[in-house]
Amino acid sequence: VNATDFKKNEDPSTFVSEKTGRGPLKEEWMASADPVMTCYKLVTIQFKWWGLQNKVEKFIHSTQKRLFTNFHRQVFCWLDKWHGMTMADIRALEEETKKKLDEERAKGEIRGTAPLET
């Protein structure tokens, strides 16, 4: 994880879930994890602009890897926020999140992940 992305409260190597007792994730946690969930993500990038295509596509690939890594770290460390939710709870959270995002978009302030300096 890049130093600019690191957040102590989103560090799976120190987080322990109060609800499930899971964590912390140590170096070889994948060898003994049970149960295991596998998730595949297909990312397709097409930037057809002569002279820039290769550079832009490489940048997007490195950024999406960074986004997914940070997201997965957050999902694990936020385990106590979502563990035990019913489908009704999830739908209500989705609706609340959509409402907040729509309000943020209406304000026009740009936020999100900034590119890393290279």
Side-chain angles (χ1 to χ4, degrees):
V1 174
N2 191 282
T4 58
D5 295 331
F6 181 80
K7 295 177 184 167
K8 190 172 182 164
N9 64 332
E10 294 174 359
D11 183 2
S13 69
T14 60
F15 171 80
V16 178
S17 168
E18 292 177 12
K19 288 184 178 180
T20 67
R22 293 182 184 139
L25 298 183
K26 297 301 177 189
E27 290 219 13
E28 299 298 321
W29 67 268
M30 289 181 272
S32 61
D34 187 41
V36 175
M37 180 180 114
T38 303
C39 180
Y40 295 93
K41 296 170 182 70
L42 173 63
V43 177
T44 304
I45 301 164
Q46 290 184 341
F47 186 90
K48 295 181 180 183
W49 194 331
W50 189 86
L52 290 176
Q53 181 174 355
N54 192 36
K55 197 170 211 149
V56 171
E57 287 180 358
K58 281 183 180 179
F59 170 75
I60 293 170
H61 274 293
S62 66
T63 301
Q64 66 86 23
K65 181 181 184 293
R66 180 176 159 224
L67 286 169
F68 284 140
T69 298
N70 290 332
F71 174 71
H72 293 139
R73 290 169 59 88
Q74 290 171 335
V75 167
F76 181 76
C77 293
W78 296 347
L79 177 64
D80 289 339
K81 294 180 183 180
W82 56 263
H83 185 271
M85 291 178 84
T86 65
M87 278 309 290
D89 296 335
I90 293 168
R91 295 292 180 239
L93 178 61
E94 288 174 338
E95 190 58 39
E96 178 186 335
T97 302
K98 181 187 180 310
K99 182 180 175 188
K100 286 180 183 177
L101 286 172
D102 289 343
E103 289 171 4
E104 289 293 321
R105 278 192 216 107
K107 289 180 186 175
E109 183 180 332
I110 297 174
R111 294 179 13 188
T113 302
L116 294 175
E117 301 283 328
T118 54

